[in-house]
Amino acid sequence: MDSLDYLRGFALIGILLVNILPLLSVADPQPGSIHAAINVILQLGVESRFMVIFSFLFGVGFTIFYSRAKEKGENSLFLFICRLLALLIFGFIHSQFHPGEALLPYAIVGFLLIPFYRVNKKINLSLALVLLAAAGATGMKALLILPLFLLGLAVGQYGIFQHISKHMTRIIVLQRVTLVLTVIGLVVQYQLIPQNVPFSYMVIVDSEMTEAELNQIWHYTIAATIVGLLMSAWYVTTLMRLLQNRTAQKELSPLKSYGRMALTNYLSQTVLVLLIGYGFGVKGNTDMLSAALMSVGIHTVLMLFSRWWLSRFTMGPLEWIWRLFTYRRMIPLKRQQQVG
């Protein structure tokens, strides 16, 4: 199931593009500037898209982890609880440096996901879609985590990533439907971008805002959340189709190694951004274009590092620690050299 690694790597790209802005305290762009144009691109193509994919993949990974543990005759519930506790520790430490990080809420909500493993896949899928619709109608992104986990769980139960070719017809239909709905949604979202309200990567509701301004923000947030769900589905199905081509697999191979070390790279993104921000004095003194270019540089460094590391080791360093905590036994990290 290499496609999961490609998708995780893809999600990491968009996550950094959004996270780097608050981490470096990037200022609101001036209207009409290139920075304002970049902001619009981020709002329409990145914000509320890639973390959706990351959350969905957590649910898929939960199903695969739980199923494999059961097949091996291990205590899947106990192992998964250990896995969540380790993630909780990672998330708590990370949240001290990056308040908007995802691992801590993932670990907490992950405990709520456990009972659904024994629920019928049709019920899980239906419940996930209903909860996603309800969460989207509120515009509260925090409410998306559980239904996205459930959606990933249901997709894992259906075995879609285990047998992509078998489900390709449905994947193509979903890709085409979400493309049409995404285009329509983007037009609506663009028209709802708040006017005369300071607006960049984060809208801060001010007590001095008028009711009309608050309504603008609320309507835009709902539109952005709903379109984000649709666009994320289109991103995922498009990449799944691309990966059926061996040439595409080869060209996109950096995403695979990047995604195989998703935990290491997610945390490393924050470390590198903070090092740049404080080490070079750019925190609070940079613009959107510079932040975007820094993101490209960080991705390049981490992708090269991931490929180098995985050529020598079986998994990422933090993935190895995570697995040690989960299984409570020493696991080989270094790749064994082939002889002869």
Side-chain angles (χ1 to χ4, degrees), residues 185-205:
L186 286 174
V187 173
V188 174
Q189 182 182 346
Y190 181 77
Q191 293 176 338
L192 289 176
I193 292 179
Q195 303 298 317
N196 303 317
V197 176
F199 189 83
S200 59
Y201 57 88
M202 187 183 302
V203 174
I204 301 176
V205 178

Side-chain angles (χ1 to χ4, degrees), residues 258 295-305:
Y258 203 27
S295 296
V296 173
I298 290 172
H299 285 312
T300 302
V301 169
L302 291 178
M303 284 183 183
L304 291 173
F305 171 73

Side-chain angles (χ1 to χ4, degrees), residues 62-338:
F62 164 78
T63 311
I64 295 171
F65 176 87
Y66 219 86
S67 300
R68 286 180 174 174
K70 288 187 69 175
E71 289 171 3
K72 295 176 182 177
E74 296 175 320
N75 188 331
S76 52
L77 175 59
F78 178 74
L79 290 179
F80 189 68
I81 289 174
C82 291
R83 188 173 175 83
L84 287 178
L85 290 174
L87 192 65
L88 194 69
I89 295 171
F90 281 127
F92 176 76
I93 295 172
H94 190 213
S95 66
Q96 306 307 301
F97 305 94
H98 180 15
E101 72 93 39
L103 301 183
L104 187 58
Y106 277 18
I108 295 171
V109 178
F111 285 100
L112 301 178
L113 189 64
I114 294 174
F116 293 96
Y117 179 79
R118 299 184 182 278
V119 177
N120 182 274
K121 58 188 178 183
K122 293 181 180 179
I123 296 177
N124 279 333
L125 179 59
S126 301
L127 183 59
L129 294 176
V130 170
L131 291 177
L132 280 175
T138 67
M140 297 177 65
K141 290 186 286 185
L143 296 180
L144 294 175
I145 298 177
L146 180 58
L148 286 170
F149 281 6
L150 274 175
L151 180 62
L153 168 59
V155 167
Q157 289 176 317
Y158 275 98
I160 292 177
F161 282 98
Q162 294 91 323
H163 309 285
I164 291 179
S165 58
K166 177 182 174 182
H167 299 277
M168 187 50 65
T169 300
R170 294 185 180 88
I171 292 171
I172 292 172
V173 171
L174 181 59
Q175 182 202 30
R176 291 174 178 174
V177 171
T178 52
L179 173 60
V180 173
L181 294 177
T182 294
V183 171
I184 296 172
L186 286 174
V187 173
V188 174
Q189 182 182 346
Y190 181 77
Q191 293 176 338
L192 289 176
I193 292 179
Q195 303 298 317
N196 303 317
V197 176
F199 189 83
S200 59
Y201 57 88
M202 187 183 302
V203 174
I204 301 176
V205 178
D206 194 311
S207 59
E208 296 182 0
M209 286 183 176
T210 65
E211 183 177 350
E213 291 173 336
L214 291 173
N215 283 332
Q216 277 188 348
I217 294 172
W218 182 52
H219 293 151
Y220 175 82
T221 303
I222 292 174
T225 303
I226 294 173
V227 178
L229 293 170
L230 294 169
M231 198 169 190
S232 298
W234 180 72
Y235 279 151
V236 169
T237 51
T238 300
L239 191 54
M240 289 173 73
R241 289 193 65 187
L242 277 175
L243 292 174
Q244 302 312 297
N245 181 283
R246 291 192 176 184
T247 301
Q249 289 179 15
K250 183 177 180 180
E251 295 297 324
L252 296 174
S253 60
L255 290 180
K256 181 181 175 182
S257 54
Y258 203 27
R260 281 191 62 191
M261 292 172 48
L263 177 62
T264 296
N265 287 322
Y266 177 64
L267 297 179
S268 295
Q269 286 180 355
T270 300
V271 171
L272 291 178
V273 170
L274 293 179
L275 285 176
I276 293 171
Y278 290 102
F280 294 91
V282 300
K283 182 176 174 61
N285 297 298
T286 192
D287 51 47
M288 288 206 164
L289 176 58
S290 299
L293 293 175
M294 286 180 219
S295 296
V296 173
I298 290 172
H299 285 312
T300 302
V301 169
L302 291 178
M303 284 183 183
L304 291 173
F305 171 73
S306 297
R307 175 167 288 188
W308 173 85
W309 181 274
L310 291 174
S311 69
R312 290 159 175 78
F313 303 96
T314 57
M315 66 192 77
L318 294 184
E319 283 74 12
W320 182 69
I321 294 173
W322 197 10
R323 190 165 293 193
L324 285 179
F325 196 99
T326 300
Y327 293 98
R328 303 168 323 283
R329 63 174 181 263
M330 188 58 63
I331 296 171
L333 177 61
K334 190 172 178 59
R335 286 190 180 277
Q336 301 206 358
Q337 299 295 326
Q338 294 184 351

